[in-house]
Amino acid sequence: MKQISFPIPSYDEWKQEVEKSLKGKPFDRLYATTYEQIQLKPIYTRADLEGVPIEQYPGFPSYVRGTEVEGYIKKGWEVSQQCEASTPERWNELMKHQLERGQTEIHVVLPKLKFVVQTIEQIKTMFSNISLENYSLRIDTGACAFPFLPLFVAYIEESGQPLSRMRGTIGMDPLHSLTITGKLPMPLSTLYDVMADVTTWAKTHMPHVKTILVHADPYHNGGGNAIQQLAFAFASAVEYINECLERGLTIDDVANRIDFSFPVGSHFFMEIAKLRAARLIWSNIVQAFGGSEQAQKLSIHARTSYFTKTVYDPYVNMLRATTEAFAAIVGGANSLHVSPFNEPFATEDEFAERIARNTQLILLEEAHIGKVIDPAGGSYYVETLTAQLAEEAWKLFQQVEAQGGMTKALQCGFVQKEIENIAKQREQHVKARKEKIVGTNVYANIAEPSAPKHTYTSYGSNHTYIDVKTMEEALSLVKRRAIAQHVIHEKESMTIVAPIRQWRLSEPFEQLRKASERHAETSGQRPTVHLVNLGSIPKHKTRADFMTGFFEAGGFTVVKNDGYMTIEEAVNGILETNGTHYIICGTDDDYVDAVPHIVRQVKTEKSDVRIYVAGKLPSHIEATFMEAGVNGFIHIGSNCYDTIFAFMKDMGVNVDGEN
């Protein structure tokens, strides 16, 4: 076989074969348009890369192929599972447990803790018997680095550990908090004073610790596309750079201490391209500021998506997280958090945490994906997608800059409007089941137990601040055992914007399922539809199966039968049951004679019964059926959510809430 060569087919030859297999269907149907308005082609060739500069080697500007020459071969990504707890003691216990079982980075998001860090004693408890210099740090302090950073530094000094050997990120991201909550705990100018001072202080005392975080999460969890996530994240970073430069730092001082956090969603290749495009954009930005090659290296923390996870059929979230983690690593993330499958209902569960942690450990230790340097490099598809994303994100980034920067763009509502435009598209596609969510809007299992209450805690809800602007002053207070207190500033000095709605893709159908469960609790049964199947099983099965899946997505009980052979049987079948909503399922040919007779006879006896027909029929036939009393038609083009919502309202089901 080694001596045999195979002729390489041309694009035209390939296309001819594809058109044959389509059997008359248009070739254009193989194209798809993403939420980024990028058209995906069925095949990519070398010709697609004409005019696109392709980097030959990783580790060189503009770092599309990675910031390290040898990728993960010498050093893998940091296994960075976020740790939450209700007390400092419990946090210490959980963190040590995770570090003993493969985690390599200490990761905590302070605003998501169920306790407020105010004293050195709490810090001592949290980090007791943990050798900090042996691990990378990822500490998200929320909108402000105070009071945590001075408390943490004082603890390190008192414990005799060298500050200079600390590495990782202890970062603040005020625009993240502003975007999600719509407000900040203190004036933005004050927060920028703190940011600049902490960054200056860290340069001398903790040179290997980054002090500024930039999250793309608000835009991803708001429903935004990859272009928006990139553009708005980098617009935030540029604002941070400019504010720090105004306060006396250099571009290298700032850029080297910014760490980016990108969520990774379900579109596998788009997410890979997003992280690769991020490195290209950052390199160009820092270069434009006059930064060094080292400062142009982007540090990316990735986390699997909260937006894609579901409350129902939650174990499927393990599969979602696995593909998202795989995309993050192929895209070249420096550290990774894999969210537990129960993240949407946020219950502490050692099993869920272990599976999440082991997901990336399997990718590292068993799948060996770190052994290949930039596996996506050279792919015609991925390289083209990377270039397209970078170009479009740069255009949107420039629009933000033209409005005066990220804060101004948030204040005038530009960012919110851009995100909401895409969010509405996504929501409508989910409701119409054009975007499928397995276990939620397709293949739902109504026999599964009721879902737990959702207890997601948003950023900024649980934090205190020291009302000082410099690290030295804060350290002085901390060493005198000052306790951090809430700081209240005058309203007129506050920056207030409309927050971006944070949601999950599955929420519309979860709303319907919960309404169904509440109805079952109060009335003794779920909302119910009855199928009126006409003819033998082969004649009605396809449409009956479609209707079953359609209504089970909303938590309905679907009552079926093996098929009525005559009109009289169908009429009697309806009259003998105590239902309110019926759907006739059969073939178009059987419908012509049967439907009008069935509907007229049934409504003569039970005028308040609702009868629908499964399928899309010619308009003149639909008109005839409507005249006979048919209430509507349900088919693949019907909006599943709207149809079920209307059925529930018609049945008196409380869809809007528990009260």
Side-chain angles (χ1 to χ4, degrees):
M1 291 295 291
K2 291 181 180 179
Q3 306 304 317
I4 299 175
S5 62
F6 295 90
I8 300 174
S10 67
Y11 175 80
D12 290 336
E13 290 172 326
W14 172 85
K15 186 177 179 182
Q16 286 175 8
E17 292 300 317
V18 170
E19 288 174 335
K20 286 179 187 176
S21 68
L22 288 171
K23 297 178 181 178
K25 295 174 183 175
F27 182 78
D28 289 349
R29 70 179 298 165
L30 298 180
Y31 288 81
T33 302
T34 70
Y35 290 111
E36 292 78 13
Q37 293 304 301
I38 291 174
Q39 188 181 64
L40 301 181
K41 300 178 0 176
I43 190 171
Y44 287 79
T45 68
R46 187 182 298 275
D48 291 292
L49 296 182
E50 290 180 7
V52 177
I54 302 299
E55 291 182 8
Q56 294 299 311
Y57 305 105
F60 294 89
S62 52
Y63 303 110
V64 171
R65 301 201 60 186
T67 56
E68 301 300 323
V69 173
E70 294 182 313
Y72 298 122
I73 289 177
K74 281 191 174 179
K75 183 182 182 301
W77 64 90
E78 300 290 356
V79 178
S80 182
Q81 294 299 116
Q82 182 180 319
C83 184
E84 298 177 22
S86 55
T87 66
E89 292 82 5
R90 180 59 177 158
W91 190 91
N92 176 261
E93 179 186 346
L94 291 175
M95 192 72 254
K96 287 191 290 188
H97 179 84
Q98 292 176 196
L99 292 173
E100 290 167 1
R101 287 160 176 79
Q103 183 156 333
T104 62
E105 185 167 73
I106 296 168
H107 185 179
V108 57
V109 178
L110 295 180
K112 287 190 177 180
L113 292 176
K114 297 179 179 65
F115 60 92
V116 181
V117 179
Q118 293 179 295
T119 66
I120 290 184
E121 284 66 34
Q122 289 174 306
I123 298 284
K124 284 181 178 178
T125 302
M126 288 178 69
F127 296 97
S128 174
N129 297 318
I130 297 176
S131 180
L132 295 174
E133 62 186 279
N134 292 335
Y135 300 99
S136 175
L137 302 172
R138 175 159 300 280
I139 302 173
D140 184 340
T141 64
C144 184
F146 296 160
F148 180 84
L149 183 57
L151 290 169
F152 186 66
V153 168
Y155 161 71
I156 293 173
E157 290 180 337
E158 289 182 11
S159 64
Q161 300 180 71
L163 280 175
S164 61
R165 295 188 64 175
M166 298 298 114
R167 58 189 173 88
T169 300
I170 307 174
M172 57 186 285
D173 186 359
L175 290 182
H176 180 214
S177 299
L178 178 64
T179 303
I180 290 178
T181 65
K183 57 187 178 181
L184 289 168
M186 60 182 70
L188 193 53
S189 60
T190 302
L191 291 169
Y192 287 148
D193 289 341
V194 172
M195 179 182 287
D197 182 78
V198 164
T199 302
T200 301
W201 184 91
K203 177 185 175 183
T204 301
H205 299 90
M206 302 173 79
H208 306 299
V209 171
K210 299 179 185 296
T211 53
I212 302 169
L213 267 170
V214 178
H215 291 83
D217 302 58
Y219 322 114
H220 176 83
N221 293 337
N225 62 35
I227 289 170
Q228 293 168 336
Q229 293 168 48
L230 290 168
F232 299 146
F234 288 117
S236 299
V238 166
E239 179 158 323
Y240 293 164
I241 289 173
N242 284 325
E243 294 292 340
C244 288
L245 292 180
E246 288 180 6
R247 289 162 174 78
L249 283 85
T250 68
I251 179 59
D252 277 24
D253 292 339
V254 186
N256 278 317
R257 283 166 184 81
I258 297 181
D259 191 88
F260 287 81
S261 176
F262 283 103
V264 178
S266 58
H267 189 160
F268 185 73
F269 290 104
M270 185 67 72
E271 298 302 319
I272 293 171
K274 180 176 78 179
L275 300 189
R276 301 174 93 248
R279 288 192 290 273
L280 171 61
I281 296 169
W282 182 242
S283 177
N284 288 341
I285 287 172
V286 176
Q287 190 176 24
F289 274 102
S292 65
E293 287 190 2
Q294 179 61 35
Q296 293 173 37
K297 291 185 175 183
L298 179 67
S299 175
I300 296 177
H301 171 70
R303 62 156 291 141
T304 57
S305 172
Y306 168 76
F307 184 69
T308 63
K309 302 305 178 292
T310 62
V311 168
Y312 291 95
D313 208 354
Y315 293 113
V316 180
N317 291 335
M318 295 182 189
L319 306 178
R320 295 185 179 105
T322 300
T323 58
E324 291 163 0
F326 188 16
I329 301 309
V330 174
N334 302 93
S335 64
L336 175 63
H337 163 81
V338 177
S339 55
F341 72 86
N342 63 351
E343 183 183 30
F345 39 94
T347 58
E348 190 176 303
D349 185 331
E350 185 178 344
F351 171 73
E353 297 286 347
R354 177 167 60 85
I355 293 297
R357 182 175 60 252
N358 285 347
T359 296
Q360 59 174 311
L361 289 174
I362 286 173
L363 292 173
L364 177 65
E365 304 289 353
E366 295 186 22
H368 305 295
I369 64 173
K371 298 290 180 67
V372 179
I373 303 172
D374 186 27
S379 161
Y380 300 141
Y381 177 27
V382 175
E383 296 287 9
T384 301
L385 200 54
T386 300
Q388 289 173 320
L389 275 180
E391 182 179 356
E392 295 304 315
W394 187 259
K395 290 177 184 176
L396 183 57
F397 164 76
Q398 289 179 313
Q399 290 181 49
V400 175
E401 290 300 288
Q403 296 184 50
M406 192 60 181
T407 299
K408 296 284 178 61
L410 284 167
Q411 288 174 321
C412 73
F414 173 79
V415 174
Q416 295 89 327
K417 184 179 178 182
E418 289 287 311
I419 295 293
E420 191 59 25
N421 286 342
I422 303 301
K424 285 179 179 177
Q425 291 179 34
R426 300 199 68 158
E427 192 168 28
Q428 286 306 308
H429 285 174
V430 167
K431 288 180 175 181
R433 303 204 301 177
K434 291 180 180 178
E435 184 162 349
K436 294 177 174 59
I437 306 173
V438 174
T440 300
N441 69 353
V442 294
Y443 309 120
N445 175 19
I446 64 168
E448 86 174 281
S450 298
K453 299 282 186 185
H454 173 51
T455 57
Y456 176 71
T457 304
S458 63
Y459 266 74
S461 61
N462 188 19
H463 209 13
T464 57
Y465 301 88
I466 296 177
D467 193 14
V468 296
K469 294 182 182 180
T470 70
M471 187 67 180
E472 293 297 342
E473 183 183 355
L475 275 172
S476 174
L477 287 170
V478 164
K479 289 175 180 177
R480 284 181 278 149
R481 292 306 192 261
I483 297 176
Q485 301 292 334
H486 284 283
V487 178
I488 300 174
H489 290 266
E490 293 299 321
K491 273 191 173 181
E492 52 267 24
S493 66
M494 295 291 99
T495 302
I496 299 174
V497 304
I500 293 175
R501 174 176 65 116
Q502 303 292 285
W503 60 294
R504 288 176 297 104
L505 205 52
S506 58
E507 285 180 4
F509 281 90
E510 290 171 358
Q511 172 199 17
L512 299 178
R513 292 278 292 274
K514 289 173 184 175
S516 171
E517 290 164 2
R518 289 194 301 270
H519 189 72
E521 290 172 2
T522 57
S523 69
Q525 66 175 13
R526 291 175 176 271
T528 303
V529 294
H530 291 72
L531 302 188
V532 182
N533 296 329
L534 303 181
S536 60
I537 290 176
K539 285 190 171 186
H540 66 250
K541 187 178 188 307
T542 300
R543 280 174 168 161
D545 287 349
F546 175 81
M547 284 299 137
T548 300
F550 188 95
F551 280 95
E552 285 184 344
F556 273 61
T557 295
V558 181
V559 179
K560 297 173 264 190
N561 56 78
D562 291 334
Y564 299 114
M565 298 305 168
T566 66
I567 291 172
E568 289 70 26
E569 282 184 17
V571 171
N572 291 334
I574 296 174
L575 295 177
E576 289 169 2
T577 55
N578 192 30
T580 59
H581 290 68
Y582 295 84
I583 303 164
I584 300 174
C585 300
T587 65
D588 290 0
D589 290 340
D590 288 343
Y591 283 165
V592 175
D593 291 327
V595 170
H597 287 90
I598 292 171
V599 175
R600 288 192 183 102
Q601 290 183 49
V602 169
K603 292 207 170 184
T604 299
E605 299 287 332
K606 298 170 93 172
S607 60
D608 58 342
V609 164
R610 304 284 195 274
I611 301 179
Y612 295 80
V613 174
K616 177 69 175 171
L617 304 170
S619 57
H620 67 281
I621 294 178
E622 288 188 352
T624 301
F625 288 1
M626 296 289 281
E627 288 176 10
V630 168
N631 295 92
F633 303 85
I634 303 172
H635 46 81
I636 197 169
S638 300
N639 185 298
C640 185
Y641 175 89
D642 289 348
T643 302
I644 293 173
F645 189 93
F647 269 52
M648 284 186 166
K649 286 289 188 182
D650 204 28
M651 294 174 176
V653 177
N654 178 11
V655 188
D656 300 318
E658 297 186 24
N659 297 322

